[in-house]
Amino acid sequence: MILRSALPLALFLLPLLARPQSCAFSLGPDRTLCDGANVLLAGPSGSVSIAWQNGWQVQYLTADTPGTYWCTATFPVPGQDLVVNGAFSNGNTGFTTDLAIGTGGTWGPISLEGTYGISTDISLLHSNFPSCGDHTGGNGQMLVVNGSATPNADIWCQTIAVQPNPPYAFSAWLMSASPESPAILDFAVNGVSIGAPLLASATTCDWDEFYAVWNAGSSSSATICITNQNLAQSGNDFALDDIAFRPLCTHTDSVVISFMPPEPEVVVTGPATLCPGDLAVLQASLVPPWPAPVDLIWNTGAGGNTYTASTAGLFSVTATATCLDATGSLFIAPDTCVSTLTMPNVFTPNGDGSNDVFLPLVVGQPTDFEMEIRNRWGQVVFRSTNVNTGWDGRIQGERAADGTYYYTVRYSDRLNDGRLKQQDKSGHLTLLGRP
C-alpha cells in the first residue's frame, strides 16, 4: 500500500511526520561563537507550521550574524481529535451523509451509485474493487463510496463544538477504489471550502492525505463536510479514512547568538639589543584587549605576560583563549656594548645653541656614571649621575664666572667579554660663557 500527502499550498502544511505532541520546544541555550563561525539552529520536528524571525519556513536555520533568533511552531494538541468515529471503528455512526447505505446488488452491497458502506476491505462491498485495506495498513474499517452524479451531495458531515480563536487542523485520507474517473473531494467548514480540492490517485489502494488549517475566529461550532465534485457515473468510486479535526497549539522560543571579536594582535615590546651579561624584560599585550581570560606561553616554555631574557634571539609568545590562537614575536639583536668616553676641555654656555653644555663624548652606554665639577677652591659646583645630563655653566641659577674648572668622572666600561671595568678620569676645563 502506498501513502502520499497532497497538501494545499495556500494554507499551513503538515509534514507526513507531524504527530500530536507537546507544544513546548527549545532552541537551546544562548551561544557565543567565534568570529566568522556559524551554528545550525534546529526547530522542532513534527510541527504543522514553522516560521523563523526572517520569515523562513524551514526546520533548520543557520545563524551567522549576532542577534536574537526566534522560531514559532504550531502542533496538533495531543489526544484532542474532536471528530467522533473518524476512523469508522464504530461502524456507521457519528456522521451524516446524503448517500444511502448500500443494501446489495449485482456486484455487492454498494453496487448502486450514491451508496456507501463501512468495511475493512473495499472488495467486500463491491466485487469489481480490488482488495485494499484501510490507510494504516491494518484491519481497521473505512468508509467506501460508489460515487453519485448528484451535485454537492455531502459524503460525510459532522458538527463539532470549538473554542473561538484557536486554529484547527482538518485532515482525512482518500483512496480510489476504481482507476476510472477518480474522485475530487472538497472540504468545507461551516459551508466555506478550505484548501484546494483533493484529487484521488488513479492508482487503487494508493492513499492521499488532505490537510488544511481553519481558524475558528468567533465561531463556537464547526460543521465539517466532505463533498465529491466529480459527478461522473462511471468510476468515481473511493474510500475515506481517519477523518480528524484537531485543535492546534503554538509555541515560540528564542536564542541569543553573539560573537567574539576578531583575533587581536599580540604585541611584544622590549629592547632591540642586549649587551652581554645584561637582562632584557619583554612585555606581551593584546591589541585590542581580549574579553576573556588568556593564556600566554613563550617559546621558552615560560608563561605570563612578561619574560626576562638573558640572551639575544627571537622570542615569541602565543596567546590562547576561547576563539583565540595568535602569536607575536620580537627579535633582540646581540650587542657587544663596548663603550668609550672622552672629556672635552672647553665649553661656551652663551646661549647660542652650540657647545652650551659640558658633557662627555661617549660611544656606547657607560654604566655607573658619576661626574663632579669643582671650582679652583675645590667646591663642588655640579654633580651628575647621568651621562646625558651635563653642566650648563650655572651655579645655583647664576652664571658661573669664566675660567678654569676641574672635573672628576667615574664610570664602568664594558669589555668585549661583557665584564665591566671601572674607569676614573680627571682633568680641567675652560668655561668661556660671557657674551
Side-chain angles (χ1 to χ4, degrees), residues 12 23 48 74-77 166-169 211-214 246-250:
F12 295 108
C23 272
V48 172
T74 301
F75 306 89
V77 176
Y168 291 81
Y211 192 95
V213 171
W214 173 75
R246 294 187 178 92
L248 302 177
C249 58
T250 299

Side-chain angles (χ1 to χ4, degrees), residues 3-8 14-16 171-174 198 207-211:
L3 302 183
R4 297 189 307 175
S5 179
L7 307 180
L14 177 69
L16 284 174
S171 63
W173 289 87
L174 170 66
L198 177 60
W207 287 96
D208 294 311
E209 184 188 27
F210 172 83
Y211 192 95

Side-chain angles (χ1 to χ4, degrees), residues 90-178:
N90 294 327
N92 185 30
T93 62
F95 64 95
T96 62
T97 180
D98 290 336
L99 305 178
I101 188 73
T103 58
T106 304
W107 300 286
I110 60 171
S111 295
L112 301 178
E113 295 175 0
T115 59
Y116 74 96
I118 307 296
S119 178
T120 59
D121 190 315
I122 61 175
S123 65
L124 298 178
L125 298 180
H126 197 297
S127 60
N128 289 336
F129 294 168
S131 177
C132 301
D134 75 336
H135 117 263
T136 59
N139 295 318
Q141 300 198 110
M142 55 191 149
L143 175 68
V144 185
V145 177
N146 187 329
S148 168
T150 303
N152 299 317
D154 290 333
I155 306 301
W156 180 97
C157 288
Q158 190 173 115
T159 299
I160 296 170
V162 296
Q163 297 294 321
N165 297 318
Y168 291 81
F170 188 5
S171 63
W173 289 87
L174 170 66
M175 176 187 73
S176 288
S178 168

Side-chain angles (χ1 to χ4, degrees), residues 388-407:
N388 296 311
T389 302
W391 185 36
D392 62 359
R394 292 179 178 272
I395 302 174
Q396 297 180 347
E398 300 294 331
R399 289 179 180 273
D402 288 359
T404 301
Y405 293 82
Y406 304 88
Y407 66 83

Side-chain angles (χ1 to χ4, degrees), residues 322-410:
T322 301
C323 301
L324 173 62
D325 187 359
T327 299
S329 62
L330 176 70
F331 180 74
I332 301 178
D335 192 340
T336 60
C337 298
V338 174
S339 59
T340 59
L341 183 148
T342 303
M343 301 302 296
N345 58 10
V346 65
F347 80 117
T348 57
N350 55 13
D352 65 357
S354 176
N355 199 25
D356 285 333
V357 179
F358 180 75
L359 280 172
L361 305 176
V362 298
V363 175
Q365 192 70 25
T367 60
D368 304 325
F369 176 81
E370 183 178 339
M371 178 176 69
E372 287 186 346
I373 298 175
R374 300 174 183 269
N375 60 20
R376 69 181 67 182
W377 297 284
Q379 297 170 321
V380 177
V381 297
F382 178 76
R383 178 181 286 113
S384 174
T385 58
N386 187 331
V387 73
N388 296 311
T389 302
W391 185 36
D392 62 359
R394 292 179 178 272
I395 302 174
Q396 297 180 347
E398 300 294 331
R399 289 179 180 273
D402 288 359
T404 301
Y405 293 82
Y406 304 88
Y407 66 83
T408 58
V409 174
R410 173 171 292 180

